Amino acid sequence: MNGHLTELLSAAPPYPRRVVCMTEETTEVLYRIGAGELVVGVSGFTVRPPEARKKPRVSSFLDANFERILELKPDLVLGFSDLQADLGRELCKRGVPVYLFNQRAVAEILQTVRLIGALVGRAEAAEKLAAELTANLERHSDAALALPRRPRIFFEEWHEPLISGIRWCSELVELVGGEDICRESRASQGAKGRIFEPEEVARRNPDGVIASWCGRKAKRDKIASRPGWSQVRAVVDDQLYEVKSSLILQPGPAALSDGVEKLARIVAAIARGEKLPVPKGADLRGA
């Protein structure tokens, strides 16, 4: 190779080596595939893995510190959803390469894992992670076949307005043996298409409610006191649960590992007519 070509090719590494992650799941994927050293900036909401929280925090979900990001000299910024489109647009205008994922389904989450690995030259490790997560889903799907019944579940992502679970949450509820009473809404790309009047959810009469209020602790009284909910089976039987949003509302490894594990325990308990305990300091039952 002549010197001129060598000089041209040295202008950039074969794969990105300084990655800013504006969402939690992209950070977790990189660490899970052994590429945590590539991460130079993270979302302020990052909790997994704990060591990632030591990295500079450069964004929330809807806002970013563009100057701080530029100071980190990333050769790739990763984000998620149309809600971060404006952040991605601004970074592109400033000359930063950006990849925004938009996964909603479980299958798309697994595809995103593979894509992230490919982007940083770790395709084999990403495929191994995707296979590991798939095997975990298969285990829960098989276990669900042994349940005595499929309880009717309402998964709520927010309380005012009342928003049903995003697609991967709905799919996971059914994978572990539940029946999502608002299943039809999961086809909606945005949250607006998943808004329900409390009276309508009451009419559908779920056996159990699983709340995950996107960064806020769910409250029993706000659920039980809704119009028409005093006779809802889940309220009468006290089958009201909470799963932390960091485990289930990020479309990455957490949802397909710890998140689905908690959903499985909850759905199995409701199916068997059992009640899981209320964790210390919590307001709702948990897994």
Side-chain angles (χ1 to χ4, degrees), residues 119-139:
L119 285 170
V120 298
R122 307 288 178 94
E124 185 175 345
E127 184 60 44
K128 183 177 179 181
L129 174 58
E132 176 186 328
L133 295 171
T134 300
N136 186 55
L137 296 177
E138 291 174 348
R139 177 173 64 85

Side-chain angles (χ1 to χ4, degrees), residues 150-164:
R150 293 183 66 88
R152 293 164 51 76
I153 303 295
F154 177 59
F155 186 105
E156 58 178 78
E157 187 179 315
W158 195 243
H159 61 298
E160 293 175 349
L162 191 56
I163 301 177
S164 65

Side-chain angles (χ1 to χ4, degrees), residues 261-283:
E261 179 73 31
K262 291 188 177 296
L263 292 182
R265 292 176 188 173
I266 292 168
V267 170
I270 298 171
R272 295 173 181 137
E274 303 167 352
K275 296 178 183 178
L276 299 179
V278 178
K280 185 178 180 180
D283 199 34

Side-chain angles (χ1 to χ4, degrees), residues 181-200:
I181 65 166
C182 296
R183 187 181 193 277
E184 78 278 6
S185 67
R186 73 188 189 195
S188 173
Q189 179 77 3
K192 289 183 179 179
R194 293 184 280 113
I195 294 175
F196 286 83
E197 291 299 325
E199 294 87 349
E200 173 57 21

Side-chain angles (χ1 to χ4, degrees), residues 30-42:
L30 287 170
Y31 273 85
R32 290 285 298 270
I33 64 175
E37 79 281 358
L38 303 182
V39 178
V40 296
V42 299

Side-chain angles (χ1 to χ4, degrees), residues 19-283:
V19 183
V20 165
C21 299
M22 296 193 297
T23 54
E24 302 168 87
E25 73 284 345
T26 51
T27 298
E28 185 178 9
V29 169
L30 287 170
Y31 273 85
R32 290 285 298 270
I33 64 175
E37 79 281 358
L38 303 182
V39 178
V40 296
V42 299
S43 161
F45 293 121
T46 298
V47 296
R48 295 167 65 100
E51 56 266 34
R53 293 178 60 83
K54 299 176 183 178
K55 299 292 178 81
R57 301 181 192 183
V58 299
S59 68
S60 62
F61 189 61
L62 298 178
D63 296 289
N65 186 333
F66 299 115
E67 300 305 323
R68 184 69 179 110
I69 291 174
L70 291 174
E71 289 173 0
L72 294 171
K73 301 185 185 307
D75 48 8
L76 179 63
V77 172
L78 300 177
F80 161 68
S81 105
D82 50 294
L83 295 177
Q84 290 196 328
D86 288 341
L87 304 184
R89 182 184 300 109
E90 180 61 28
L91 287 167
C92 281
K93 287 167 62 177
R94 298 187 184 212
V96 180
V98 178
Y99 197 118
L100 290 183
F101 299 98
N102 215 14
Q103 68 271 30
R104 292 296 189 278
V106 168
E108 292 170 348
I109 293 175
L110 292 168
Q111 181 189 75
T112 298
V113 168
R114 296 181 175 100
L115 280 171
I116 292 173
L119 285 170
V120 298
R122 307 288 178 94
E124 185 175 345
E127 184 60 44
K128 183 177 179 181
L129 174 58
E132 176 186 328
L133 295 171
T134 300
N136 186 55
L137 296 177
E138 291 174 348
R139 177 173 64 85
H140 285 297
S141 180
D142 290 344
L145 297 176
L147 295 179
R149 66 188 182 100
R150 293 183 66 88
R152 293 164 51 76
I153 303 295
F154 177 59
F155 186 105
E156 58 178 78
E157 187 179 315
W158 195 243
H159 61 298
E160 293 175 349
L162 191 56
I163 301 177
S164 65
I166 199 166
R167 179 170 175 172
W168 69 82
C169 294
S170 172
E171 290 180 340
L172 291 176
V173 163
E174 298 203 329
L175 180 143
V176 300
E179 178 185 335
D180 178 10
I181 65 166
C182 296
R183 187 181 193 277
E184 78 278 6
S185 67
R186 73 188 189 195
S188 173
Q189 179 77 3
K192 289 183 179 179
R194 293 184 280 113
I195 294 175
F196 286 83
E197 291 299 325
E199 294 87 349
E200 173 57 21
V201 177
R203 186 189 68 78
R204 299 186 185 199
N205 197 24
D207 298 309
V209 172
I210 302 174
S212 189
W213 287 0
C214 199
R216 180 178 296 185
K217 183 175 288 188
K219 297 294 184 181
R220 177 185 299 274
D221 62 337
K222 285 188 176 293
I223 295 174
S225 64
R226 290 170 180 154
W229 279 54
S230 61
Q231 298 304 310
V232 168
R233 177 54 56 192
V235 175
V236 172
D237 292 346
D238 192 20
Q239 293 284 21
L240 307 178
Y241 292 85
E242 179 177 29
V243 175
K244 289 182 179 180
S245 58
S246 61
L247 296 181
I248 196 65
L249 292 186
Q250 57 143 307
L256 305 191
S257 55
D258 293 359
V260 72
E261 179 73 31
K262 291 188 177 296
L263 292 182
R265 292 176 188 173
I266 292 168
V267 170
I270 298 171
R272 295 173 181 137
E274 303 167 352
K275 296 178 183 178
L276 299 179
V278 178
K280 185 178 180 180
D283 199 34

